[in-house]
Amino acid sequence: MIILLHGPDAYRLSAKRRDIVREFRAKHPMSQTVEVEGEGEAAGRDGFRTHLAESLRTSSMFDPAKLILIHHVYELEKKDLTELIQPYAASPSFVFLMADDKKPPKPFETFLKKFSALVQEFEYLEGVAWATFVKKSAAAEGITLAQEALKFLA
């Protein structure tokens, strides 16, 4: 399974990423979680390929499931990503969770369609949607906001 979270709203995107990781670990407590960085000097094309390839080849004795978190995915070569992920994309044991603050560029749109990726966008909320989000977030923390406080925070 391939999941892409993208958009400028880092707060909601990070919350969703944490929820997915938490849910995966609840289902597979003995599984591995691997983080791969697509950006920076340390990542580089060869560094990314090597790290991801090694992570995909190795598996836990206790649980074959694996969550691969790929940060700044658009910095990576689509060809490399496709080549490495293709053998594992249909496996229920592998979840590829990718995140970026921008919309997918054209080459990645074809990649996402090819693998039937789940895509969720996190644009900034405005107006009623933002006020509703603030109200729900406060309620989740056990806080009831007066209408004036809600207006002020929104």
Side-chain angles (χ1 to χ4, degrees), residues 18 40 53 59 61 78-80 83 89 104 112 127 135 147 153:
R18 281 191 306 274
S59 63
M61 288 178 12
K78 185 190 100 165
K79 178 182 148 225
D80 292 340
E83 183 181 300
L112 297 168
K135 191 174 183 177
Q147 192 62 29
L153 289 173

Side-chain angles (χ1 to χ4, degrees), residues 32-153:
Q32 292 178 301
T33 301
V34 178
E35 293 198 43
V36 180
E37 184 63 50
E39 183 178 68
E41 287 180 36
R45 181 175 181 213
D46 293 334
F48 161 74
R49 285 185 60 81
T50 302
H51 186 206
L52 184 56
E54 286 175 5
S55 299
L56 291 168
R57 277 195 305 265
T58 60
S59 63
S60 169
M61 288 178 12
F62 305 106
D63 192 341
K66 192 175 292 192
L67 175 64
I68 310 287
L69 299 164
I70 303 176
H71 305 282
H72 306 288
V73 68
Y74 308 144
E75 301 295 323
L76 305 170
E77 294 287 329
K78 185 190 100 165
K79 178 182 148 225
D80 292 340
L81 200 57
T82 302
E83 183 181 300
L84 291 167
I85 288 177
Q86 189 161 1
Y88 306 95
S91 171
S93 297
F94 288 86
V95 175
F96 295 90
L97 178 56
M98 305 171 184
D100 208 295
D101 58 352
K102 299 175 220 95
K103 289 185 178 203
K106 285 287 182 200
F108 274 86
E109 287 179 12
T110 56
F111 167 84
L112 297 168
K113 286 178 185 171
K114 177 179 181 174
F115 293 110
S116 302
L118 302 173
V119 179
Q120 188 168 359
E121 187 172 3
F122 292 90
E123 290 293 330
Y124 290 121
L125 297 176
E126 295 179 4
V128 175
W130 174 244
T132 302
F133 174 75
V134 171
K135 191 174 183 177
K136 283 183 180 179
S137 295
E141 298 295 326
I143 300 168
T144 304
L145 295 172
Q147 192 62 29
E148 288 301 312
L150 179 61
K151 275 184 174 179
F152 174 76
L153 289 173

